């Protein structure tokens, strides 16, 4: 039976009160339906109705399901067909545990690639199964998103680090105490409502995808993946073929996902330039702009719009175009009508917040916030191992490896938090919010040239950070562009060691964008003095840490 053509323009008007044009196509495929999977088996059974007004895309074109849940799109060879999950629904899972919301189309063999590329498959429309999401008291508080940047294992050993350092502690921290001496239990989805990995899923070895996916999906959270520069098929001869293996495992490199609190757009922003230097640059393709120009007008503006990419939108240094400026300005122009936008990026293996303005092509009413998320692998799984055999892997700016959380409330307001993978026991100077560095002993009466430093992991340019000694009055600390003293000490110990202290040395310390300094007085009484630091986090409120130093009489 041939299905009637659905007018995307009319449905978009009904949905969001705006018009969107879709390019007409000559060829179509019949039979694609988005349906309510009431028994959760992934197949459309008798009595399971279609779902109207759901958007389906191939990364360029967009179709909207009719009253029976039917959609029509031309089978475009080489593209990935995907459903844009609407609010109030959840997808079924693929065999690997990832959301079953996509299908690749490959009718002719592509280039021969080391890691397999995209296998040949039928050019058919498929049915997409969605389940009605069950409301929970936790979800009524808002949408909880777990964000990993750069897991980047280079071996099965690194995947074991990732599992034990990131995934298992996350399960433990979100497990429920069952009472009655049964202990704590983890159930699927307790860690969050959605998960996103911001690229560099592996470190060039794409054969590690299945093992890493198994670790991630053990959380039971619907998980989406962005492509990174270490996820490329480096034997591809052109950018168009450089993510074939990634797409075979993770689906479309342009994707969208909708919740009632936020809309998520995930974009591959790595432009591969084989044979050139540099071999890649940040930017977007024409087909991605075509998708955005069709999709964004359909997105409600009463919620947060989140763009998730790998390469940051800001330049890594003066005079260095990390992300193509023309593409950035074109993208920012598309985002300007939205009152609430958050950019999430990875890649740098450091952590910072950037406020975009006119200098970077943003002309909105308020600065555009980009959160450049610290790496799950930290400094590439380097550094000295702890008692559990896991490397310290602190990043070059002094941020410990870990993951982030994004919490979004209805109306688009959001909070962010950073969660270090490990915090040493009985160390009051190292908390989830900051790490303090201070000398252990100073000479009484010495010139006050020494200081306590606070590396506030989520600190921003305007963060308020204060300290006090022995319960005295609070004093402001001064933000400094300097290397974290704790990591400098690790660098010195690596230099002095006769053999490697770990698989790799700790990274060379670089100037941290979130380091504060407070001078330690030396005119107090002899003996021990307590130093308290408090930082006022924009989202998490007041955060504290403490340390101690001793004043001794000078030795002649």
């Amino acid at each position: 039976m041939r299905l009637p053509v659905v007018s995307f323009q009319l449905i978009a008007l009904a949905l969001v009160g705006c018009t969107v044009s879709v390019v007409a196509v000559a060829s179509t495929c019949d039979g694609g339906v988005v349906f309510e999977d009431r028994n959760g088996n992934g197949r459309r059974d008798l009595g399971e109705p279609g779902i109207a007004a759901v958007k389906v895309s191939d990364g360029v074109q967009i179709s909207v399901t009719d009253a029976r849940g039917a959609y029509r799109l031309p089978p475009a060879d080489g593209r990935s067909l995907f459903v844009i999950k609407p609010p109030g629904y959840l997808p079924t899972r693929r065999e690997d545990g990832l959301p079953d919301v996509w299908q690749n189309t490959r009718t002719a063999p592509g280039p021969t690639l080391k890691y397999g590329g995209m296998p040949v498959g039928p050019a058919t429309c498929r049915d997409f199964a969605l389940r009605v999401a069950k409301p929970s008291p936790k979800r009524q508080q808002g949408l909880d998103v777990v964000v990993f940047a750069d897991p980047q294992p280079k071996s099965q050993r690194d995947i074991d680090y990732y599992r034990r350092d990131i995934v298992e502690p996350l399960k433990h921290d979100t497990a429920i105490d069952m009472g009655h001496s049964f202990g704590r239990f983890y159930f699927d989805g307790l860690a969050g409502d959605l998960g996103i990995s911001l690229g560099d899923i592996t470190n060039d070895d794409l054969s590690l995808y299945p093992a890493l996916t198994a670790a991630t999906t053990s959380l039971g959270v619907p998980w989406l993946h962005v492509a990174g520069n270490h996820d490329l098929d480096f034997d591809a001869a052109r950018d168009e073929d450089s993510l074939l293996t990634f797409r075979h495992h993770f689906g479309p490199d342009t994707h969208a996902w909708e919740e009632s609190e936020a809309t998520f757009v995930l974009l591959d922003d790595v432009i591969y330039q084989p044979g050139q230097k540099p071999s890649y640059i940040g930017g977007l393709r024409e087909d991605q702009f075509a998708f955005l120009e069709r999709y964004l007008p359909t997105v409600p503006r009463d919620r947060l719009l989140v763009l998730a990419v790998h390469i940051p939108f800001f330049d890594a240094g003066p005079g260095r175009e990390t992300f193509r400026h023309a593409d950035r300005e074109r993208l920012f122009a598309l985002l300007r009508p939205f009152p609430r936008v958050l950019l999430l990026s990875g890649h740098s293996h450091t952590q910072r917040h950037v406020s975009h303005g006119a200098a970077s092509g943003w002309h909105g009413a308020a600065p555009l916030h980009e959160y450049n998320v610290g790496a799950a692998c930290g400094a590439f799984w380097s550094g000295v191992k702890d008692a559990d055999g896991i490397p310290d892997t602190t990043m070059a700016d002094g941020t410990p490896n870990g993951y982030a959380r994004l919490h979004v409330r209805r109306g688009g307001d959001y909070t962010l938090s950073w969660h270090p993978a490990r915090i040493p026991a009985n160390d009051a100077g190292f908390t989830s919010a900051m790490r303090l560095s201070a000398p252990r002993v100073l000479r009484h009466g010495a010139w006050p040239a020494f200081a306590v430093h606070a590396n506030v992991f989520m600190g921003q340019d305007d963060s308020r950070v204060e300290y006090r000694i022995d319960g005295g009055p609070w004093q402001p600390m001064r933000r400094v562009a300097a290397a974290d003293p704790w990591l400098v000490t690790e660098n010195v110990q690596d230099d002095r060691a006769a053999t490697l202290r770990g698989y790799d040395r700790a990274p060379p310390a670089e100037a941290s964008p979130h380091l504060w300094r407070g001078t330690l007085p030396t005119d107090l009484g002899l003996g021990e003095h307590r130093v308290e630091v408090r930082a006022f986090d924009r989202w998490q409120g007041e955060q504290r840490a403490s340390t101690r130093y001793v004043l001794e009489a000078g030795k002649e």
Side-chain angles (χ1 to χ4, degrees), residues 167-335:
V167 175
E168 293 299 333
L170 183 52
K171 286 183 180 180
H172 178 269
D173 291 345
T174 52
I176 295 176
D177 190 344
M178 301 298 292
H180 307 293
S181 302
F182 289 119
R184 293 168 62 85
F185 284 79
Y186 181 82
F187 300 96
D188 279 0
L190 284 181
D193 302 306
L194 178 65
I196 301 176
S197 289
L198 298 174
D200 284 0
I201 312 304
T202 70
N203 190 59
D204 300 337
D205 185 352
L206 310 189
S207 69
L208 298 175
Y209 280 154
L212 190 99
T213 297
T216 305
T217 57
S218 70
L219 291 167
V221 175
W223 211 275
L224 307 177
H225 292 78
V226 173
N229 55 291
H230 286 282
D231 295 311
L232 302 177
D233 287 296
F234 286 105
D235 48 348
R238 57 180 190 156
D239 180 58
E240 292 88 336
D241 297 325
S242 64
L243 286 177
L244 293 179
T245 301
F246 174 91
R247 290 170 57 201
H248 171 56
H249 289 274
F250 300 114
D253 58 32
T254 298
H255 190 43
W257 181 284
E258 297 179 351
E259 300 287 351
S260 58
E261 302 89 348
T263 299
F264 297 85
V265 178
L266 293 81
L267 299 170
D268 159 39
D269 69 340
V270 182
I271 305 297
Y272 184 40
Q273 304 175 138
Q276 301 182 41
K277 290 186 178 181
S279 61
Y280 65 89
I281 189 172
L284 297 177
R285 307 184 304 266
E286 282 300 320
D287 61 283
Q288 294 173 304
F289 279 114
F291 171 79
L292 292 171
E293 288 164 359
R294 293 182 173 102
Y295 176 63
L296 289 180
T298 75
V299 174
R301 299 179 187 177
D302 62 348
R303 63 191 65 167
L304 181 67
L305 174 60
V306 180
L307 262 70
V309 299
H310 179 65
I311 295 179
F313 295 101
F314 57 86
D315 290 336
R320 179 181 173 188
E321 189 180 43
T322 310
F323 191 100
R324 294 191 302 209
H325 293 176
D327 289 356
R328 184 175 65 192
E329 292 189 13
R330 186 176 173 186
L331 173 65
F332 284 3
L334 293 174
L335 300 179

Side-chain angles (χ1 to χ4, degrees), residues 431-459:
T431 69
S432 62
M434 70 186 85
R435 175 161 26 204
L436 305 184
S437 300
R440 296 178 61 184
V441 60
L442 294 173
R443 180 179 64 82
H444 183 265
W447 180 259
F450 303 97
V452 57
H453 286 82
N455 193 331
V456 183
F457 311 133
M458 291 291 281

Side-chain angles (χ1 to χ4, degrees), residues 15-38:
L15 283 173
V16 297
C18 60
T19 60
V20 179
S21 61
V22 173
V23 177
V25 293
S27 61
T28 61
C29 58
D30 296 336
V33 174
V34 180
F35 67 94
E36 182 185 338
D37 187 12
R38 291 179 170 174

Side-chain angles (χ1 to χ4, degrees), residues 303-381:
R303 63 191 65 167
L304 181 67
L305 174 60
V306 180
L307 262 70
V309 299
H310 179 65
I311 295 179
F313 295 101
F314 57 86
D315 290 336
R320 179 181 173 188
E321 189 180 43
T322 310
F323 191 100
R324 294 191 302 209
H325 293 176
D327 289 356
R328 184 175 65 192
E329 292 189 13
R330 186 176 173 186
L331 173 65
F332 284 3
L334 293 174
L335 300 179
R336 185 176 178 180
F338 293 87
R340 299 175 183 86
V341 183
L342 172 65
L343 309 177
L344 296 176
S345 59
H347 184 59
S348 67
H349 294 258
T350 55
Q351 182 158 269
R352 71 185 65 186
H353 296 269
V354 173
S355 295
H356 290 281
S360 55
W362 172 251
H363 300 285
L368 176 60
H369 179 203
E370 177 175 357
Y371 175 30
N372 185 220
V373 184
C377 76
F380 311 93
W381 302 112

